[in-house]
Amino acid sequence: MRIIIHRGADEIGASCVEVAYGTTRILLDAGTSLDGSVTVFPDDINDYSAVIISHGHQDHYGLLESLPESVELYMGDVAWGFLQSLRIFTGQPPLAERSRICLKAERPFKIGEIVVMPYLVDHSAPEAFGFLLSAGGRTIYYSGDFRAHGRKAKTFDYLCDRLPREMDAVLLEGTLINRGNSHFSDESKVEEGIIDAIGKEEGLVCLSCSAQNIDRMVTAFRAAKRSGRVLALDIYSAWILRVAQKLSKNIPDIRWDGIRVLSHNKVALGQYRKIKQNSGFFGDFVRELYHSDNELWEKDIVDSPSRYLLKLSDFGLAHILQKLRKPSTVIYSQWSGYLDHDSSAYNEPAGALKALAGERFYEIHTSGHATKEDLERFVSQILPKTVIPVHTNHKHMFGALFSQTIVLDDGEVFDLAATT
Ligand SMILES: [Zn+2]
């Protein structure tokens, strides 16, 4: 088997890894960069048999827009739903429906001569997979993005039990290899932190987080409920929870008590228009939004701010805070890099929220990625012959942790047949 990291050998983002055997060539992930630099498929993309997407984050699927129909696409159904939803709500046309093969955990499939086994992993995107690939008596595992401190933390030990020992190579993500996780070591600590912050506030509590981080949305619902508040969502967040219902009926939904949707006034209008323009995609959802049990006006929040934990876009939250004109708490539950003025990832609406909240601004977050200790735990259990860093800004730090590390550059061919 051959491995080529087309992109992502020395970068967090733009993930694109080729695994090939004989004439079968597969791309694992097809992501765009997080720093805005241009990313493209290899020139000979038409010669590949398939693209397999590990999970629904743009740095793993962002190139799909230009994937030729002749190349098979393997992807989770919910990841595809999130991709299409994000495109619609950000004003991009949805991708043309194309033939897709739906990934299911531990349902192996064969592409040419390569057998692929998907394993469910714990990540900040739901329905995230790692892949075990076998051909010609060789075995490779591609970790995708994973961790051991989210709501599916148990999948970490399960995976370690299931994976073969002493396989030929592991392509291992190293997002956190050079830094610790936040002060909140796991999702349950985030829940407690949010409850503490709500407990200190007699007015409105705003929550800034990714709606597609379903673990965090579950945390938001639980924290609101345990604090005696209603979770108020924007239309986009409510829709994303509906898409995620395919994974589990335990994921909160607008049909549940304790959830309302801000479906009127300025914040809602732009999102409502997107739904009207793509009514076939959303089905009956719009009727549910405007059911009296679900709907909410901006005035409801302004009149009774202490009733709500409000989760909107940063832009939407800033609008409500300006309208309310009362001291309010903002819980920032995302990567702190978006708040760093000196970073290319700086997010202006998030910075504005921080300024509006002043002393009542709390950062409460846990990472979507494995800690250095968990990476060590993973490797020490499955004992791969080779560890190849991916999805990291610090690939040269792997060698100090794993003596079997082989560091690749983007585009370099690593041939397992040449190793013993
Ligand atoms: Zn990810």
Side-chain angles (χ1 to χ4, degrees):
M1 288 173 105
R2 303 182 302 282
I3 296 169
I4 304 172
I5 302 174
H6 287 283
R7 190 139 167 202
D10 204 3
E11 176 176 3
I12 295 170
S15 296
C16 190
V17 176
E18 175 173 346
V19 172
Y21 181 72
T23 57
T24 305
R25 299 169 76 193
I26 297 173
L27 283 181
L28 301 169
D29 286 331
T32 38
S33 72
L34 295 176
D35 63 9
S37 61
V38 174
T39 50
V40 289
F41 276 118
D43 289 342
D44 54 354
I45 181 64
N46 280 297
D47 296 340
Y48 287 80
S49 305
V51 170
I52 307 176
I53 303 296
S54 63
H55 64 280
H57 280 159
Q58 289 192 66
D59 60 327
H60 295 258
Y61 73 61
L63 286 179
L64 286 187
E65 194 172 6
S66 52
L67 181 68
E69 186 72 35
S70 59
V71 182
E72 279 187 331
L73 172 62
Y74 292 75
M75 188 172 183
D77 213 23
V78 168
W80 177 262
F82 278 15
L83 175 162
Q84 293 287 52
S85 303
L86 190 64
R87 289 184 68 90
I88 289 170
F89 280 103
T90 54
Q92 304 168 77
L95 297 185
E97 272 306 321
R98 54 164 293 150
S99 62
R100 256 178 311 123
I101 298 145
C102 185
L103 290 171
K104 300 265 186 218
E106 291 174 76
R107 298 242 188 106
F109 51 92
K110 205 169 178 192
I111 299 170
E113 295 171 84
I114 302 178
V115 176
V116 183
M117 173 67 115
Y119 286 101
L120 194 65
V121 295
D122 183 27
H123 184 42
S124 46
E127 200 190 33
F129 298 102
F131 302 104
L132 183 69
L133 301 106
S134 316
R138 301 280 191 169
T139 311
I140 296 168
Y141 182 71
Y142 171 65
S143 72
D145 289 356
F146 79 131
R147 64 177 171 181
H149 55 266
R151 294 197 175 273
K152 288 192 292 296
K154 279 183 187 160
T155 58
F156 184 92
D157 290 324
Y158 178 83
L159 181 65
C160 288
D161 284 347
R162 287 296 172 110
L163 287 178
R165 297 297 178 263
E166 299 183 8
M167 68 177 99
D168 295 287
V170 168
L171 288 144
L172 188 63
E173 76 119 314
T175 313
L176 292 188
I177 200 149
N178 66 317
R179 55 185 153 109
N181 192 358
S182 80
H183 169 66
F184 297 90
S185 57
D186 63 36
E187 197 63 34
S188 67
K189 300 263 182 2
V190 170
E191 185 175 324
E192 298 308 322
I194 292 176
I195 289 169
D196 284 350
I198 295 174
K200 290 182 201 148
E201 176 61 71
E202 290 178 352
L204 181 65
V205 181
C206 297
L207 177 68
S208 168
C209 69
S210 161
Q212 296 199 4
N213 182 345
I214 296 298
D215 274 17
R216 193 60 42 83
M217 294 299 282
V218 170
T219 295
F221 175 76
R222 289 172 55 96
K225 191 167 185 191
R226 289 174 61 191
S227 306
R229 292 195 182 220
V230 169
L231 178 62
L233 303 173
D234 59 3
I235 293 173
Y236 168 71
S237 305
W239 170 253
I240 287 297
L241 289 177
R242 175 58 55 84
V243 176
Q245 288 284 302
K246 284 183 186 166
L247 293 174
S248 165
K249 296 294 168 224
N250 293 327
I251 291 170
D253 184 83
I254 60 169
R255 297 182 187 117
W256 291 19
D257 285 345
I259 298 189
R260 291 258 170 176
V261 185
L262 184 59
S263 47
H264 297 274
N265 311 116
K266 187 179 173 186
V267 172
L269 198 62
Q271 295 183 345
Y272 172 72
R273 276 201 205 105
K274 303 281 180 356
I275 290 193
K276 287 302 275 181
Q277 287 159 2
N278 297 275
S279 52
F281 183 78
F282 292 95
D284 273 350
F285 184 66
V286 71
R287 211 176 306 153
E288 283 185 66
L289 277 181
Y290 292 96
H291 190 281
S292 59
D293 287 348
N294 296 330
E295 62 187 344
L296 195 67
W297 278 259
E298 289 182 8
K299 186 176 180 303
D300 296 327
I301 297 163
V302 172
D303 288 350
S304 312
S306 62
R307 284 195 64 196
Y308 300 101
L309 173 62
L310 183 63
K311 189 265 171 278
L312 311 175
S313 67
D314 292 347
F315 178 81
L317 291 174
H319 167 74
I320 296 290
L321 288 178
Q322 277 156 350
K323 202 165 175 177
L324 183 63
R325 294 178 175 277
K326 284 182 189 156
S328 305
T329 288
V330 170
I331 297 168
Y332 190 75
S333 199
Q334 305 192 55
W335 178 51
S336 60
Y338 298 131
L339 294 169
D340 179 0
H341 279 272
D342 300 329
S343 157
S344 61
Y346 177 65
N347 180 326
E348 226 165 273
L353 267 188
K354 186 174 180 179
L356 279 166
E359 284 182 357
R360 300 189 189 203
F361 186 84
Y362 300 91
E363 284 188 55
I364 304 175
H365 180 57
T366 196
S367 173
H369 301 276
T371 60
K372 192 174 96 172
E373 292 72 27
D374 286 332
L375 294 176
E376 288 180 293
R377 196 152 63 88
F378 184 72
V379 170
S380 69
Q381 290 192 59
I382 65 167
L383 302 167
K385 290 178 190 159
T386 311
V387 172
I388 300 170
V390 286
H391 205 273
T392 180
N393 288 329
H394 298 273
K395 63 181 179 179
H396 292 294
M397 291 179 75
F398 274 66
L401 293 185
F402 312 120
S403 58
Q404 67 272 55
T405 297
I406 291 184
V407 171
L408 298 184
D409 292 326
D410 282 348
E412 186 179 346
V413 180
F414 178 69
D415 193 347
L416 277 179
T419 64
T420 51

